[in-house]
Amino acid sequence: MAAKIIVVTNQKGGAGKTNTAVHLAGTAIRRKYKTLLIDADRQGTATKWVSQAEEGAPYKIRVMGLAHAEAKIANEVKQYVEDYDLIIVDCPPAVESQIPQVMLMIADLALVPIVPAPGDLWASTDLLELAERAQVINPDLQIRIVGSNVRPNLAMTKWAIETLENMRPSAPKLKTNLNQRGAYVESMLTGDSVHYFKSAAKPAIQEIESLFDEIAAVLNIPKVKKQ
Ligand SMILES: Nc1ncnc2c1ncn2[C@@H]1O[C@H](COP(=O)(O)OP(=O)(O)O)[C@@H](O)[C@H]1O
Ligand SMILES: [Mg+2]
């Protein structure tokens, strides 16, 4: 089976793209999916994150830096589709970069993390429109929004989540939110996802596992890869 391609994208920096991409990769590996994380952002945060892992770490995430490929990134990625089950692409923030646009043409899923706050909501419409236009050429592309860095106790959060739920019919919001949690930030130093912390990060682990379950349903793949 050719790899399913998940493109984590949003035009805004700080939306939680890298956090979402690395955590999905860490979860997918634990679900026995042969997974490749592609760092398509010149800042290289995903690469640095993963490189913090100790040698011989049991769930080492395989990361490949392809930001330099620019518009040719899709050709690069296509070379790996037969070698992996899942390819997760951490995109650069700018819509001006050609990478999100090019990757949407070959992706199965555009996953759009959005922080439920006014500025972030306003800034995400261009990207959602871009993804919708990509569906004309790539009809297999599905678009989903995920609430990112969510602060459930803020009064505006309820309004913002409802707004996300009704942004665009082409981009349903997934039920799982990634709440604002220290464990996500601290996991960067472990080179791994929050799974590294085991029971000390139970709520974060449950969240990312539940997000993976929802994504598996969208992609029509089993929750755990059948051997
Ligand atoms: N759910 C979360 N809880 C706490 N901090 C988060 C969460 N998501 C992202 N962050 C932090 O917010 C910042 C921006 O996130 P990042 O994933 O790098 O965004 P992007 O890749 O979209 O620029 C980082 O410092 C990251 O650790
Ligand atoms: Mg990033």
Side-chain angles (χ1 to χ4, degrees), residues 92-171:
V95 194
E96 297 89 63
S97 159
Q98 295 183 70
I99 286 177
Q101 195 175 337
V102 167
M103 283 310 302
L104 288 169
M105 297 301 164
I106 63 161
D108 296 283
L109 172 65
L111 185 64
V112 186
I114 304 179
V115 180
D120 292 77
L121 294 175
W122 298 331
S124 44
T125 44
D126 284 353
L127 189 278
L128 292 171
E129 278 170 20
L130 182 74
E132 204 173 291
R133 283 200 298 278
Q135 282 180 322
V136 178
I137 296 160
N138 176 11
D140 293 335
L141 176 68
Q142 308 224 47
I143 311 168
R144 293 292 183 277
I145 290 170
V146 57
S148 171
N149 213 345
V150 177
R151 288 179 285 173
N153 298 330
L154 290 190
M156 67 159 187
T157 296
K158 190 171 174 285
W159 161 82
I161 292 283
E162 276 168 19
T163 307
L164 285 182
E165 282 165 355
N166 299 297
M167 289 277 283
R168 296 185 92 77
S170 61

Side-chain angles (χ1 to χ4, degrees), residues 34-191:
K34 197 171 178 209
T35 305
L36 177 64
L37 175 64
I38 292 184
D39 189 351
D41 189 347
R42 282 174 190 275
Q43 281 196 0
T45 310
T47 308
K48 285 189 199 111
W49 181 332
V50 168
S51 70
Q52 306 299 312
E54 291 152 30
E55 217 178 305
Y59 297 104
K60 183 90 176 83
I61 298 168
R62 193 167 299 172
V63 66
M64 185 184 288
L66 284 180
H68 61 275
E70 289 286 349
K72 296 208 166 97
I73 189 167
N75 296 338
E76 291 289 318
V77 172
K78 278 184 200 160
Q79 294 180 41
Y80 302 102
V81 289
E82 296 305 329
D83 301 332
Y84 289 90
D85 303 313
L86 272 182
I87 296 179
I88 300 169
V89 187
D90 181 24
C91 281
V95 194
E96 297 89 63
S97 159
Q98 295 183 70
I99 286 177
Q101 195 175 337
V102 167
M103 283 310 302
L104 288 169
M105 297 301 164
I106 63 161
D108 296 283
L109 172 65
L111 185 64
V112 186
I114 304 179
V115 180
D120 292 77
L121 294 175
W122 298 331
S124 44
T125 44
D126 284 353
L127 189 278
L128 292 171
E129 278 170 20
L130 182 74
E132 204 173 291
R133 283 200 298 278
Q135 282 180 322
V136 178
I137 296 160
N138 176 11
D140 293 335
L141 176 68
Q142 308 224 47
I143 311 168
R144 293 292 183 277
I145 290 170
V146 57
S148 171
N149 213 345
V150 177
R151 288 179 285 173
N153 298 330
L154 290 190
M156 67 159 187
T157 296
K158 190 171 174 285
W159 161 82
I161 292 283
E162 276 168 19
T163 307
L164 285 182
E165 282 165 355
N166 299 297
M167 289 277 283
R168 296 185 92 77
S170 61
K173 181 188 167 295
L174 296 170
K175 285 201 188 72
T176 309
N177 293 317
L178 300 181
N179 284 330
Q180 187 170 84
R181 297 181 192 280
Y184 287 120
V185 189
E186 287 177 322
S187 67
M188 296 179 82
L189 287 175
T190 72

Side-chain angles (χ1 to χ4, degrees), residues 207-224:
E207 246 165 41
I208 195 68
E209 294 275 336
S210 139
L211 181 65
F212 191 90
D213 288 350
E214 282 196 86
I215 289 172
V218 171
L219 293 175
N220 201 16
I221 58 172
K223 287 182 181 178
V224 178

